Amino acid sequence: MRLTLMFISLGILLSILTACKSDEIVSELTVHYPKPKELKSFELLDQHERVVTNQDLAGRWNLLFLGYTSCPDICPMTLSKLTHINTKISQLADSQVWFISVDPNRDTSVKRRAYIDYFDNSFIAATQQHKQLFPFVRDIGLIYAINDDGSGGDYFVDHSASIALINPQGKLEAIFKPEFKQGEVPNINADKMVRDFRIILEKSK
């Protein structure tokens, strides 16, 4: 009788612990959508000049980051962190990092390939002309703007420093936001991002 009661007590305790675990919430740096958003059809070109579409998102978790190869700080810093983050996330689930260039006029396939190979040649470095690119970027909850005065000289591109998380069903699941500290460029918190991904992954099961 005592043994039976002990097993019942253990079962109740495990149920409580499991419930507590599933009730974990993501940090203030992550926007997790209770109902993932369906993405519109898109066609981009990767660094090998292959067409990539919604089908290339299916079956794995995807981390999408905007940038451009001439970016002086945020892009190389974030991509460097993403190599570390993806190593940890890929131990939990199949994952893929996408670098979406928002400077298609200067970022040729050759430049994108050389740039992304410096960080991880398994990453996808895709782009498209603005007419197709801007709606896609807006659809994944991010934004960019070209600061070109038309003089033909160098220009900067303003873009989101956040990372979009697309689930294995090809839907927008979450946005990982950077930390903003006075006097510093926006920066992704790798530990919080990996922790939040674990929570999202657990809730998706």
Side-chain angles (χ1 to χ4, degrees):
M1 182 67 176
R2 289 183 178 178
L3 190 60
T4 302
L5 287 172
M6 184 179 73
F7 279 122
I8 292 173
S9 298
L10 283 172
I12 293 171
L13 180 60
L14 284 172
S15 296
I16 292 171
L17 289 174
T18 302
C20 290
K21 185 176 180 181
S22 64
D23 286 341
E24 282 187 289
I25 59 173
V26 296
S27 73
E28 74 285 356
L29 294 176
T30 296
V31 178
H32 185 207
Y33 300 109
K35 184 178 179 181
K37 176 189 174 185
E38 193 89 37
L39 296 185
K40 297 174 183 177
S41 297
F42 68 87
E43 285 190 0
L44 304 178
L45 292 173
D46 72 6
Q47 67 268 39
H48 306 292
E49 297 189 353
R50 295 180 300 212
V51 175
V52 287
T53 69
N54 303 67
Q55 293 181 348
D56 294 283
L57 296 169
R60 57 189 173 189
W61 293 89
N62 301 271
L63 301 169
L64 277 62
F65 172 68
L66 305 186
Y68 61 113
T69 63
S70 305
C71 180
D73 40 38
I74 295 175
C75 299
M77 185 184 301
T78 303
L79 282 169
S80 180
K81 284 202 168 190
L82 277 172
T83 61
H84 169 69
I85 290 167
N86 191 53
T87 297
K88 290 195 171 184
I89 284 178
S90 64
Q91 294 172 1
L92 306 172
D94 190 11
S95 61
Q96 176 68 63
V97 174
W98 296 58
F99 170 68
I100 308 298
S101 170
V102 289
D103 188 12
N105 293 334
R106 293 185 296 184
D107 285 350
T108 64
S109 58
V110 173
K111 286 184 72 173
R112 281 182 279 120
R113 184 166 63 250
Y115 187 74
I116 209 65
D117 282 356
Y118 178 80
F119 299 98
D120 190 324
N121 60 14
S122 72
F123 289 2
I124 294 173
T127 194
Q128 186 54 276
Q129 293 304 305
H130 295 299
K131 185 177 179 180
Q132 294 83 31
L133 183 63
F134 188 80
F136 167 74
V137 168
R138 184 174 53 193
D139 200 30
I140 61 173
L142 305 179
I143 195 168
Y144 72 94
I146 305 290
N147 292 312
D148 186 3
D149 59 9
S151 64
D154 289 336
Y155 57 86
F156 292 100
V157 184
D158 291 329
H159 60 86
S160 303
S162 298
I163 296 168
L165 176 66
I166 312 298
N167 66 27
Q169 290 72 49
K171 298 179 181 180
L172 178 62
E173 180 84 25
I175 299 287
F176 298 112
K177 300 182 295 183
E179 290 181 311
F180 289 88
K181 295 181 180 179
Q182 189 172 3
E184 299 180 14
V185 297
N187 200 1
I188 290 294
N189 185 311
D191 291 336
K192 285 188 177 182
M193 185 171 162
V194 172
R195 173 192 173 275
D196 288 351
F197 178 78
R198 287 177 184 271
I199 294 172
I200 292 170
L201 182 63
E202 188 64 32
K203 289 181 181 294
S204 71
K205 292 178 180 177

